[in-house]
Amino acid sequence: MTIVKWRLLVLLDKHKKVTPAARELGLKQPTATFHMKKMEEEWGTELFESKTGRILLTDAGKALLRFAREIIRLHEEARLEMRLLAAAGERLAVRIDAPCREQAAALAASLLEPFGRAIDFTAERRLEEPDLIVSERAEPPSVAGSVYWQAELKLAVSASHPAYAGASADSLLASQSPWIAPPAGTELRRLCLEWSESRRSALRETYTSADLGTARTLAAQGLGFAIVPDFSRHHPAAAASGAAGLRLIPLPGAPSYGLELAPGPLLARKDEPMLLALFADTRRGG
């Protein structure tokens, strides 16, 4: 069964005549009739019957029609996907090793946009050979060869919830409000805990979120506070990645935090001009 035969089956059900069905497919009537005969031979049963000058589907034909519609839908979806991939050319694979994935993606996209390449963002560590890697850094890198985005750590709380609407950072921390924490093993979590210890206070971890997008959403609902990086002062492209309904409060004595964009091992071979354009300069920090 070729895609032409599947389409013919659907068009015969639509028009109830061979000639208009064949015309819509760009076929001659004898060719369409030949395909109908071959379909019945292939499936070993009658699929069509002629009544009062119309071509109708038998029960077997109607059963096959359900499959025809689904196969045509999948074929069209595959065709569009292949067209998109062909138009996009070679894609860039960007791995994000940071809990602030939305902001990292926005920053990387704004930097890569001038190159006109399609971008695949992933947080999967099994992507062993990404073209670019976005990772957390407590301090700017000491040598050239990467792009560094500086952030300000702030408390994210609900802008409308009564418990948080007018609270200061110190009062929130002193009240032991619920902390919506980043996941274990992240640089952001380590910095938060070290900062808390230096202030001789303890954060009350009530929720743990795999990414800060979820943490900001929980905070906006008044379920606690999150400590999040705010890139918007230096990088407007990342400002839109925050959740609505949030108030960002400066964190007293906040440690340094940022994201680093570094090339993967194969980028030079894949696109040396891009490598030089992106990383020939020294750090591009805030």
Side-chain angles (χ1 to χ4, degrees), residues 63-75:
L64 199 61
L65 179 65
R66 292 185 288 109
F67 293 97
R69 286 173 173 156
E70 181 65 13
I71 288 169
I72 290 170
R73 184 190 68 78
L74 290 172
H75 180 270

Side-chain angles (χ1 to χ4, degrees), residues 156-159 215-217 219-221 228 242-248:
V157 298
S158 170
R216 288 191 298 269
T217 299
Q221 293 172 356
V228 302
L246 276 181
R247 185 165 68 102
L248 296 180

